[in-house]
C-alpha cells in the first residue's frame, strides 16, 4: 500500500524498515499543516492525526485506509469516510492506561490535599489538615464506557469506590458496578461525588455533561474533549485537561475557576509500544 505517514506518529521512522519489508511504499510528512511531499493521487493509506484539518480528504482520490494516532474520530469527516467505504481505525486502547492513572492521581491529589502539604513544606510549616477525604465509599460516575472509561473504573473500584457508567449502549462491563443509559445521566450526575468524562465528541455529545448538576463538593474531571462539557454555572470543583479551544487563551476565566492541565493526560511511557502494536495489527488485518 502507498502510505502517507505524518509526524503525529512520533516513532514512525523507527518502524519504516519493517513497513517497507511488508510491501508498503512510504512517504513522510512531519507537520500535517505543511504542503504534501507527494502527489495526493499516489496515496492509498494514511497514518495521521489531524491531516484532514489541513488537506481536504477529497483531494486523495485513491484513499482507502486511515489509521489515526488518536482515540477520537472528531478530526475526520466521517460522513465522507462512510460514503466512500474507507477503512478507518483509531488508536483504541493506546492511551487508556496513562489517562486512567492521570484521573486517579488528580482526584487523589485533591482528596489528600497534597499541593497544600507541599506548600507548607516550602514554608517549613508543620500543620495537620483535618478535612482529608477518602475514595472508599464515594460514588464515581463515568460518562463513556469505552476503553478509557473502563480503565478509570477499574482503578476507582480498587479503592472501594462505587462506580456507575453512563453509556449510549447499556451493557454489563466488569469494571463498573452498574451501567445505565444516557437518559439517566442527569440523575447520576446529581448524586455523584466524582464525575469523569471520557465520552467521544460527536454532535450528540456536544455539551452533554452539565457541570451545574453536580453538587458543590463534587469533582468533575474532563479528559475527553472540551466541548463535551457545559461549564455554565458550575459549582463543583473542575479538573480540566481538555478545552474547546486549545491552547487555552491567557485571558480565559477558566485559569481561575479550575485546575488546569495542558491536554497532557494521554502521555505515558508505554504509548509508543502500544501504538506500534495497533498500527501493525491493523495493517496486517486490512482488507484493502
Amino acid at each position: 500500500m502507498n502510505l502517507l505517514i505524518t509526524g503525529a506518529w512520533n516513532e514512525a521512522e523507527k518502524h519504516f524498515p519493517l513497513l517497507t519489508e511488508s510491501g508498503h511504499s512510504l512517504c513522510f510528512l512531519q507537520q500535517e499543516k505543511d504542503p504534501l511531499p507527494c502527489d495526493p493521487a499516489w496515496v492509498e493509506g494514511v497514518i495521521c492525526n489531524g491531516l484532514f484539518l489541513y488537506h481536504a480528504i477529497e483531494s486523495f482520490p485513491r484513499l482507502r485506509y486511515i489509521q489515526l494516532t488518536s482515540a477520537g474520530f472528531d478530526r475526520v469527516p466521517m460522513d465522507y469516510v462512510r460514503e466512500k467505504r474507507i477503512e478507518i481505525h483509531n488508536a483504541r486502547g493506546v492511551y487508556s492506561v496513562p489517562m486512567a492513572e492521570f484521573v486517579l492521581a488528580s482526584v487523589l491529589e485533591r482528596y489528600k490535599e497534597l499541593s497544600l502539604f507541599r506548600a507548607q513544606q516550602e514554608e517549613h510549616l508543620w500543620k495537620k489538615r483535618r478535612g482529608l477525604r477518602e475514595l472508599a465509599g464515594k460514588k464515581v460516575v463515568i460518562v463513556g464506557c469505552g476503553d478509557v472509561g473502563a480503565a478509570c473504573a477499574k482503578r476507582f473500584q480498587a479503592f472501594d469506590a462505587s462506580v456507575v457508567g453512563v453509556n449510549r449502549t447499556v451493557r454489563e462491563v466488569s469494571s463498573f458496578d452498574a451501567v445505565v443509559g444516557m437518559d439517566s445521566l442527569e440523575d447520576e450526575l446529581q448524586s455523584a461525588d466524582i464525575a469523569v468524562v471520557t465520552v467521544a465528541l460527536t454532535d450528540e455529545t456536544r455539551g452533554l455533561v452539565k457541570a451545574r448538576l453536580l453538587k458543590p463538593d463534587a469533582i468533575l474531571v474532563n479528559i475527553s474533549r472540551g466541548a463535551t462539557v457545559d461549564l455554565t454555572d458550575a459549582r463543583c470543583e473542575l479538573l480540566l485537561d481538555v478545552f474547546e479551544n486549545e491552547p487555552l487563551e491567557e485571558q480565559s476565566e477558566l485559569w481561575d475557576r479550575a485546575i488546569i492541565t495542558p491536554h497532557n493526560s494521554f502521555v505515558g511511557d508505554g504509548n509508543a509500544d502500544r501504538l506500534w502494536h495497533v498500527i501493525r495489527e491493523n495493517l496486517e488485518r486490512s482488507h484493502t
Side-chain angles (χ1 to χ4, degrees), residues 228-248:
T228 59
V229 176
D230 180 353
L231 298 174
T232 307
D233 297 329
R235 301 172 300 156
C236 62
E237 188 166 5
L238 302 171
L239 307 184
L240 307 178
D241 185 57
V242 289
F243 305 89
E244 194 158 1
N245 297 303
E246 296 181 357
L248 186 63

Side-chain angles (χ1 to χ4, degrees), residues 102 106 222 239-243 255 259-265:
F102 190 93
S106 298
N222 188 8
L239 307 184
L240 307 178
D241 185 57
V242 289
F243 305 89
W255 290 106
I259 294 174
I260 304 297
T261 50
H263 203 144
N264 213 88
S265 62

Side-chain angles (χ1 to χ4, degrees), residues 3-13 16 27-33 36-37 45-52 55 67 69:
L3 282 174
L4 171 62
I5 300 173
T6 80
W9 181 13
N10 291 331
E11 293 195 352
E13 293 177 277
F16 281 1
C27 184
F28 184 67
L29 172 66
Q30 180 62 54
Q31 299 293 333
E32 294 183 333
K33 63 183 178 181
L36 295 176
V46 295
I47 300 175
C48 67
N49 181 13
L51 180 69
F52 304 119
H55 303 276
Q67 170 69 63
T69 59

